[in-house]
Amino acid sequence: MGAHILKRLISAIPVLLGITVIVFLIMAMIPGDPATAILGSYATPENVEKLNRDLGLDKPLVTRYFIWLGNMLSGGFGRSFSLNRPVIDEILDRFNATLILAGVSFVLCTLLGILAGVVSAARQYGLADKAITFTVLIGISVPSFFLGMMMILVFAVNLRLLPVSGMYAIYGGGDLIDLARHLVMPALALAVVATGVIARLSRSAMLEVLRQDYIRTARAKGVHERRVIMGHALRAAMVSIIPVLGIQAGFVLSGSVYIEIVFQWPGVGRMLVDAILKRDILLVQGGVVFVAAAYVFFNIAVDVAQSLLDPRIKT
Amino acid sequence: MTTFLKLLFRNRLAALGAVVLGAIVLLALVTPLLPLADPDVTATGDRFMRPFTEGHLLGTDHLGRDLLSRLLWGTRLSLAVGIAAALVAGTIGSAIGIVAGYFGGRIDNVIMRGVDMLMAFPYILLALAIVAALGPGLLNALIAVAAVNIPFFARNIRGVTVGLAGREFIDAARLAGMGHGRIILTELLPNVASTIVIAMSTTVGWMILETAGLSFLGLGSQPPVADLGSMLGEARAALITNPHTSVVPGVMIFLIVMSINLLGDGVRDALDPRLRSGALTRPRAVTLVDRKGQVPEADQKGLLNIQSLETQFHVGPRIFRAVNEVSLHLNPGEALGIIGESGSGKSVTALSVMGLVASPPGVITGGAVRYAGEDLLSADYRSLRQKRGNNVAYIFQDPLSTLHPLYRVGDQLTEAIQAHHAVPDATARARAVELLKDVRIPNAEARVRDYPHQLSGGMRQRVGIAMALANDPDVIIADEPTTALDVTVQAQILALLDDLRRDRGLAIIFITHDFGVVGQLCDRVAVMYGGRIVEEGPTATILSHPAHPYTKKLMACVPELGGGKRELAAIPGLPPVVSDLPPGCAFAPRCDKATEACRVGEIGFTGSDTHRVRCIHPEEVLA
Ligand code: SF4
């Protein structure tokens, strides 16, 4: 198993490099003078000229990539002009908030989605199945940012049950309960679409599996039907559910950008949008590379989970 | 195509989606012709008017602009941008996919590597990076959304193209001297076009949502021009005081996305043959019993007694009579063979005993199955479950598919034990090792930790047998237990089963198509054809004096008992399709002795209780 994890980690290196190449190429599309873009429009002409020289703009693209990569890695992604601090510091400050939001949301959509899918399959064409199918259809069609706004309107403004936005109360907050109260709505709003997708997939994966011969064997042994479904069938269905969880995690991470804006959540997503509006290029590219790298490692974890579940995968 | 449309519209939700989407698209198309206020004219005096006010059906926004007008113009813009993004992504992505799939080799490798890299990003990061580089704006948002979706098309279309590139018509075109460009345009493209169109139409909802999202963030359309996303984004500041300005564009995005989803689901379902065939319905825990006639009187024969059993498969309007009026009994300690070709109903008969026929489509429509006098067909799930594996156990054909691939064999054995006996795990595990030893698996202590795929076919079937023995059942039903194995292993497994039977006084029903197996193991044999028993009697008698022409032919297919290659193809003709059985004898079309009389009316049994046959011109006249 250790060797397997190591192998996956090594295979991540080219992917990580690929990510930097793509981000570099996108940044090379910036129209006009990159130094101005990096330093902001109030930079002095001397600084701009010096930076242009450092970036090696007269050199071929490949050389420029390595200069760029070197600058990024050695200098902690550079210095943000709009915040006047190193990009890496800002990212690390923000990343926790995103991780909490997206992480809780991901756990929610995984649990709820699989549960809904299993119930739906076990009660196929029954009332529960129809109710779940309908809810899922609505869920995957509502834009998360609109849903978030409506939740604020109902639960925070009208019912006054939950705080409108932010991560902690400004006065007297800061403990775990405060965080949880602030987290409920954004985490739910973010989880809804992925829950729907996972529920659909789990339902069809379960139905597929329930036709298999080994399910008949379990029944022939006299195993209780509840155990047949929650044990034998679900376990086998997980083999096709887990890879989709990895993909859905990417969607949850993507959706967190909107949710962070709607709920004023101090995460990386909001940082990125602010940075784009302020044209703070270094902050954007640092944030993108960092989060994409985190996602690559998450997918390695998914892969390892898959090989733990399925002994037929050579480890 | 017309059947496809019919299927699509039989799905009411899909039809609803089509109607809603059609209405929205129509409204967007005629918007310039409608007598609407200018969407961009501000009137700060009229700001935040409620819906249904005079002159403003949906009210006004924070600058006093008419919301209805802005909604329709915004919808128009959102639809246009979403569709444009789908077209751009679809065209570029498909082109990349076709090139990769057609040329293959290194080109394919390099391209797909790049595609994988792009897919390693959570999509929004890529979109944000592109917008950051190009600057906020609707056109740039469109480019970003299209770019992000290119990998999806590239991968999909490449898959289809790879399948086509190896086909003869492409080779033929190449031999005819056509250039690559021409082959791609005239031979490949027409064949992948439908896939491209379907992929575009299912992703267009996504694209609309994504561009609306970027506009919502302020990175897409810039004021005063508004699409639905930026309308929602601007309204957010007044969410608490004037929610209607948020609700109006939000609901419209929801309606568009939902109607596209409904339509997409409908298309997918209409194209999926498994949905219609019922291959995606959940089989119930117990076969459905729906007995039409009277339950036959108990006749006290045997430990297991099947009387006039009828099992059918109901697939749409078609009815397959898999088992038709089958009566059999099994005495304690006896070995009964049921022999027949595939499709003769022998397996379905066996599975009907414990309600294991997949249902739907299986339905037991008549007869009785009694175990120790109790009718299993009227038993509830609880009592049936308690008997499964405990009183009557099964051994199935192919242990690779019938053992759970993700559980260790030891766990599958302990589970069988604990399903009926509340014993501690340690005891059950020790018993599992015992069982593996009983079926002569070497090194049983280590094998319990193996997964099925780590064992050989013969060893797997021994595990299957051990599992059947786990609760010391009185009856074992072995459904072609050796068919999937090679000949030497077959002999070992048969010998093992025979020993176990004698040691433990087990009664066994042996389902097989092989008279060699019957001769080696069985006391009695029943021959099935077309869902019916056509002959039944003691093995020795039937082997020496087969009475039914079918039995005789079946035996002639076995060159030598217990060995050699056994094929049934030697009987000319095919077994009947049980959905439309001819009147009279089902074997008549393949029978040399068939006469006119064979093709009319019901043919009953002749002979005695011990040896009976269903034939007008039997090979041997039975006393
Ligand atoms: S009934 Fe007639 S057709 Fe059928 S097996 Fe006997 S002889 Fe042949």
Side-chain angles (χ1 to χ4, degrees):
Chain A
M1 185 46 66
H4 179 62
I5 296 176
L6 194 69
K7 223 162 71 189
R8 289 296 286 117
L9 284 175
I10 291 171
S11 76
I13 294 173
V15 179
L16 291 173
L17 281 177
I19 284 172
T20 60
V21 170
I22 289 168
V23 173
F24 169 76
L25 288 177
I26 292 173
M27 292 307 154
M29 296 191 310
I30 297 176
D33 186 3
T36 318
I38 288 168
L39 296 173
S41 35
Y42 302 111
T44 60
E46 300 87 75
N47 284 348
V48 170
E49 200 191 317
K50 179 177 178 301
L51 185 61
N52 274 341
R53 222 175 319 117
D54 289 350
L55 291 175
L57 285 184
D58 46 344
K59 310 225 166 65
L61 207 61
V62 181
T63 323
R64 270 168 61 197
Y65 166 70
F66 285 107
I67 294 174
W68 175 86
L69 188 65
N71 283 344
M72 229 177 40
L73 296 182
S74 62
F77 299 124
R79 194 176 181 85
S80 150
F81 77 79
S82 67
L83 301 167
N84 197 20
R85 68 184 297 207
V87 166
I88 186 71
D89 292 356
E90 180 69 10
I91 293 175
L92 290 177
D93 278 357
R94 299 281 202 136
F95 191 62
N96 254 345
T98 297
L99 209 56
I100 290 173
L101 173 63
V104 169
S105 221
F106 177 70
V107 171
L108 266 179
C109 71
T110 303
L111 295 180
L112 288 177
I114 293 176
L115 183 72
V118 169
V119 170
S120 218
R123 299 265 173 277
Q124 195 190 16
Y125 301 135
L127 196 64
D129 182 28
K130 283 181 182 144
I132 288 172
T133 307
F134 183 74
T135 316
V136 161
L137 175 71
I138 303 285
I140 58 171
S141 305
V142 183
S144 61
F145 40 94
F146 179 55
L147 181 66
M149 288 164 70
M150 291 301 109
M151 284 169 112
I152 292 179
L153 214 50
V154 174
F155 298 106
V157 178
N158 287 339
L159 300 176
R160 298 184 177 279
L161 284 175
L162 293 164
V164 172
S165 65
M167 192 166 171
Y168 293 104
I170 298 170
Y171 302 107
D175 54 2
L176 217 54
I177 296 175
D178 186 37
L179 174 63
R181 275 168 47 79
H182 281 84
L183 192 55
V184 174
M185 285 198 295
L188 275 176
L190 182 52
V192 163
V193 175
T195 306
V197 176
I198 293 170
R200 271 191 172 190
L201 176 93
S202 306
R203 179 179 185 270
S204 62
M206 286 291 286
L207 289 175
E208 191 109 348
V209 163
L210 279 167
R211 285 266 148 191
Q212 300 297 316
D213 287 347
Y214 49 79
I215 296 298
R216 189 184 60 196
T217 308
R219 286 173 169 168
K221 284 198 288 191
V223 175
H224 201 284
E225 186 66 8
R226 205 175 321 126
R227 200 180 148 111
V228 170
I229 301 227
M230 297 308 293
H232 292 244
L234 181 55
R235 179 121 179 199
M238 283 307 287
V239 171
S240 42
I241 295 174
I242 284 185
V244 172
L245 293 183
I247 297 170
Q248 285 308 308
F251 281 88
V252 167
L253 210 50
S254 294
S256 71
V257 174
Y258 302 115
I259 296 299
E260 286 178 12
I261 295 283
V262 171
F263 289 93
Q264 314 264 315
W265 192 264
V268 181
R270 229 176 100 205
M271 177 197 86
L272 284 174
V273 175
D274 286 347
I276 294 172
L277 292 173
K278 288 181 195 143
R279 318 279 302 121
D280 189 341
I281 292 302
L282 287 187
L283 194 51
V284 175
Q285 72 182 25
V288 167
V289 170
F290 187 90
V291 178
Y295 181 59
V296 169
F297 286 109
F298 177 81
N299 268 323
I300 292 176
V302 170
D303 204 75
V304 171
Q306 179 79 329
S307 63
L308 284 178
L309 175 80
D310 191 344
R312 291 167 299 182
I313 295 174
K314 282 266 178 314
T315 55
Chain B
M1 192 64 201
T2 46
T3 51
F4 167 73
L5 285 178
K6 252 187 228 153
L7 272 169
L8 188 58
F9 277 87
R10 198 174 302 148
N11 183 337
R12 264 173 295 159
L13 284 173
L16 178 73
V19 169
V20 172
L21 187 64
I24 293 173
V25 170
L26 192 72
L27 265 179
L29 285 176
V30 301
T31 298
L33 307 175
L34 298 177
L36 291 166
D38 186 319
D40 300 332
V41 165
T42 55
T44 22
D46 293 340
R47 56 205 295 260
F48 290 133
M49 282 165 70
R50 299 279 148 190
F52 307 113
T53 36
E54 185 67 45
H56 300 289
L57 189 58
L58 293 177
T60 58
D61 71 358
H62 59 291
L63 296 175
R65 297 174 292 196
D66 181 54
L67 263 183
L68 177 64
S69 165
R70 285 181 72 73
L71 177 72
L72 291 180
W73 283 98
T75 303
R76 199 173 143 86
L77 190 58
S78 277
L79 285 176
V81 173
I83 292 169
L87 285 174
V88 172
T91 311
I92 299 178
S94 304
I96 293 174
I98 289 177
V99 168
Y102 175 74
F103 289 103
R106 272 182 61 113
I107 297 179
D108 183 30
N109 227 318
V110 170
I111 291 180
M112 291 325 286
R113 275 281 159 91
V115 166
D116 285 343
M117 298 285 172
L118 286 172
M119 288 188 132
F121 282 89
Y123 77 88
I124 195 127
L125 288 182
L126 214 48
L128 288 181
I130 293 172
V131 173
L134 300 178
L138 192 54
L139 185 65
N140 293 343
L142 190 159
I143 294 173
V145 169
V148 168
N149 283 289
I150 286 175
F152 164 79
F153 283 96
R155 188 177 275 193
N156 260 2
I157 302 303
R158 173 192 172 268
V160 182
T161 311
V162 167
L164 288 169
R167 299 264 291 275
E168 317 74 47
F169 67 95
I170 301 290
D171 286 338
R174 223 173 270 154
L175 286 178
M178 271 180 163
H180 290 312
R182 248 188 89 196
I183 294 178
I184 288 177
L185 284 179
T186 61
E187 304 291 328
L188 263 179
L189 196 58
N191 285 297
V192 292
S194 64
T195 318
I196 298 176
V197 171
I198 289 176
M200 276 193 204
S201 56
T202 48
T203 47
V204 78
W206 248 116
M207 311 264 188
I208 293 172
L209 194 57
E210 284 170 32
T211 41
L214 287 177
S215 288
F216 173 79
L217 296 175
L219 307 176
S221 79
Q222 301 295 316
V225 175
D227 68 356
L228 294 172
S230 60
M231 278 179 79
L232 194 57
E234 285 174 30
R236 203 167 63 85
L239 171 66
I240 293 171
T241 49
N242 291 283
H244 71 276
T245 52
S246 301
V247 171
V248 165
V251 168
M252 182 54 97
I253 302 178
F254 167 68
L255 283 178
I256 294 174
V257 176
M258 188 183 68
S259 57
I260 293 177
N261 280 343
L262 280 174
L263 203 55
D265 292 350
V267 170
R268 201 193 50 206
D269 289 354
L271 291 176
D272 192 344
R274 291 179 307 172
L275 217 62
R276 260 171 294 156
S277 67
L280 286 182
T281 34
R282 180 181 90 91
R284 306 151 54 104
V286 179
T287 310
L288 185 68
V289 177
D290 180 18
R291 283 186 278 200
K292 296 282 188 290
Q294 287 234 310
V295 178
E297 289 285 322
D299 60 7
Q300 311 299 338
K301 272 198 276 187
L303 173 63
L304 186 69
N305 188 7
I306 302 171
Q307 290 172 279
S308 311
L309 179 71
E310 277 181 33
T311 306
Q312 306 180 339
F313 292 109
H314 294 183
V315 182
R318 303 228 288 165
I319 292 180
F320 295 81
R321 293 172 203 282
V323 177
N324 206 348
E325 297 262 348
V326 164
S327 298
L328 280 171
H329 68 276
L330 180 70
N331 297 315
E334 187 186 30
L336 168 71
I338 303 181
I339 190 165
E341 291 164 282
S342 54
S344 61
K346 56 192 196 305
S347 288
V348 181
T349 305
L351 291 172
S352 298
V353 170
M354 282 284 142
L356 290 171
V357 179
S359 165
V363 188
I364 294 175
T365 49
V369 177
R370 289 194 172 81
Y371 174 80
E374 187 195 341
D375 183 13
L376 298 177
L377 298 186
S378 49
D380 60 3
Y381 172 68
R382 253 191 54 162
S383 85
L384 196 62
R385 183 192 77 74
Q386 281 164 0
K387 290 191 179 60
R388 283 177 175 179
N390 201 17
N391 300 103
V392 179
Y394 283 84
I395 301 169
F396 294 108
Q397 187 183 117
D398 177 8
L400 188 59
S401 64
T402 54
L403 292 177
H404 199 295
L406 307 182
Y407 287 116
R408 297 180 194 278
V409 296
D411 293 342
Q412 305 198 37
L413 286 167
T414 48
E415 185 185 33
I417 296 162
Q418 289 177 323
H420 299 291
H421 301 279
V423 294
D425 288 353
T427 318
R429 226 168 295 130
R431 172 98 178 99
V433 175
E434 282 304 306
L435 284 166
L436 290 187
K437 286 182 179 156
D438 287 351
V439 294
R440 299 174 207 154
I441 289 186
N443 202 1
E445 287 85 358
R447 291 288 83 78
V448 286
R449 298 195 46 77
D450 281 350
Y451 289 96
H453 72 277
Q454 293 169 309
L455 300 174
S456 69
M459 285 300 147
R460 272 198 294 267
Q461 192 54 294
R462 285 170 196 265
V463 172
I465 295 170
M467 212 149 75
L469 295 174
N471 292 295
D472 275 320
D474 303 315
V475 175
I476 284 188
I477 299 178
D479 188 357
E480 308 231 21
T482 57
T483 308
L485 306 173
D486 61 48
V487 182
T488 44
V489 184
Q490 269 188 23
Q492 291 169 9
I493 296 285
L494 289 178
L496 172 69
L497 279 170
D498 202 36
D499 289 354
L500 289 168
R501 174 171 90 88
R502 290 180 202 287
D503 292 351
R504 303 179 179 226
L506 280 168
I508 294 194
I509 296 183
F510 240 100
I511 316 284
T512 179
H513 59 258
D514 185 343
F515 256 112
V517 173
V518 168
Q520 198 174 333
L521 285 172
C522 298
D523 306 317
R524 269 189 313 130
V525 57
V527 183
M528 281 190 76
Y529 190 82
R532 285 170 178 267
I533 293 180
V534 292
E535 183 170 5
E536 188 202 335
T539 308
T541 318
I542 291 197
L543 283 179
S544 53
H545 303 286
H548 199 281
Y550 176 63
T551 314
K552 198 174 174 193
K553 290 246 157 105
L554 207 52
M555 282 166 56
C557 300
V558 185
E560 184 184 312
L561 288 191
K565 207 168 180 270
R566 305 181 190 107
E567 292 257 329
L568 287 172
I571 306 180
L574 291 170
V577 180
V578 283
S579 69
D580 80 288
L581 289 175
C585 176
F587 189 57
R590 293 163 80 187
C591 181
D592 308 332
K593 304 176 80 179
T595 57
E596 269 320 297
C598 300
R599 294 192 171 85
V600 287
E602 182 73 22
I603 297 163
F605 277 113
T606 52
S608 65
D609 248 12
T610 48
H611 188 185
R612 52 189 183 142
V613 64
R614 205 191 275 275
C615 177
I616 296 177
H617 312 292
E619 309 276 339
E620 305 258 339
V621 179
L622 303 182

